[in-house]
Amino acid sequence: MKILPATEANIAKAAKAILAGKLVVMPTETVYGLAADAANPEAVRRIFVVKDRPAENPLIVHIADAGQIEAIASAFPEAAQTLAGRFWPGPLTLVLPSAGSVAQECTGSAGTIAIRMPAHPVALALIRTSGRPLAAPSANRFMKLSPTKAEHIDPEIAKQVAMILDGGPSEIGVESTVVDCTNSSPRILRPGGVSRGDIEAALGGPLGSLPSHLPRSSPGMYSRHYAPRAKVLLVTRLGPEMTGLTFDEPANDRQIKMPLSPSAYASILYDCLHRLDFLGVEELAIQAPPEEPEWEAVQDRLRKASA
Ligand code: TXA
Ligand code: MG
């Protein structure tokens, strides 16, 4: 495996690889990303091949300072500025009208571009050292579990990248919240690391809602996604023979007791699923978390893992 510690020397090597059109797996605070130079169409196309991702699913472009937005987005509405000011660097992605400076493969069908400034020092260092905005989806195969540790990376993906920079476990543990800011009232396309409540508090009002028939304007909206190999069942309580995640005292050593705080739960969720999946069991049972707004991102991932 090409897992390398994220030292300054290795980050410099990774930046060279990016500039040569290669792919690098980089740590972020949400999940590990499969990064390429966002301005290099060939490199961006390779991301889709390596992930086995449908071409119509646009990518998030990662920046290291707000000055980079001007070149990438043709408008930066006030609400988006407020959210960037409050949550960047961090687990928030803003969808803005594209200025057309990055590879077309990164942009959505309506000429939009998703932009995020990650809070991980290694991701920021890689963006700065390469001097390029980096297109980076989660570094998993399409529909599979996102990696939150270097060791989670699928060997098939590892083979096709220049290197995997190991930056330790991703602290947030679920993907960024994606907010569409191309309309007068911003709305969440994918719940994630920043809660709806915190976004509404920052905006001083409620977010817009999505039409229920919305087609796949966002790949995060496929009903199955984020899935381990095993079949996932959401249950009210785990039976003593089941393998899975519980809030109760574990009844066997294939049950993991999960924290009752949504952020602590999210932080370890994918790692727990990777670990249990590694046991090779056929079924994973997950005790459903409380139906409360702070659990929105976790609920979304569990629903999609079990669909
Ligand atoms: O936390 C994250 O967001 C991670 C790390 C690596 O930054 N990245 C990530 O990328 O989760 P990916 O490709 O797995 O998910 C991208 C999400 C999808 O739900 C997609 O719908 C949305 O971002 N997206 C990207 N570009 C978009 C666009 N132009 N319009 C609407 N949605 C977009
Ligand atoms: Mg993903």
Side-chain angles (χ1 to χ4, degrees), residues 26-34 51 53 57-62 90-96 106-116 118 136-140 146 174-178 180 189-190 193 216-221 225-226 301:
M26 68 171 180
T28 88
E29 80 282 22
T30 56
V31 300
Y32 276 66
L34 179 60
K51 268 188 75 89
R53 176 179 175 120
N57 292 349
L59 302 178
I60 297 173
V61 170
H62 297 70
L92 177 77
T93 295
L94 301 174
V95 175
L96 299 171
C106 299
T107 61
S109 52
T112 57
I113 186 79
I115 304 176
R116 169 165 117 81
S138 49
N140 52 289
S146 300
V174 290
E175 296 81 353
S176 61
T177 306
V178 180
D180 178 3
L189 298 179
R190 177 182 72 181
R216 304 189 218 134
S217 65
S218 221
M221 291 179 166
H225 206 147
Y226 312 108
R301 302 309 187 269

Side-chain angles (χ1 to χ4, degrees), residues 1-2 46 153-162 164:
M1 277 278 236
K2 308 162 192 163
R46 283 204 51 222
I153 306 297
D154 185 314
E156 284 306 309
I157 289 188
K159 270 192 223 160
Q160 301 177 75
V161 301
I164 296 167

Side-chain angles (χ1 to χ4, degrees), residues 236-238 244-251 255-259 265 285-288:
T236 48
R237 185 143 274 159
L238 268 66
L245 309 179
T246 175
F247 293 111
D248 300 324
E249 283 313 312
Q255 295 189 357
I256 300 176
K257 183 173 168 134
M258 298 298 282
Y265 189 108
I286 299 179
Q287 183 171 11

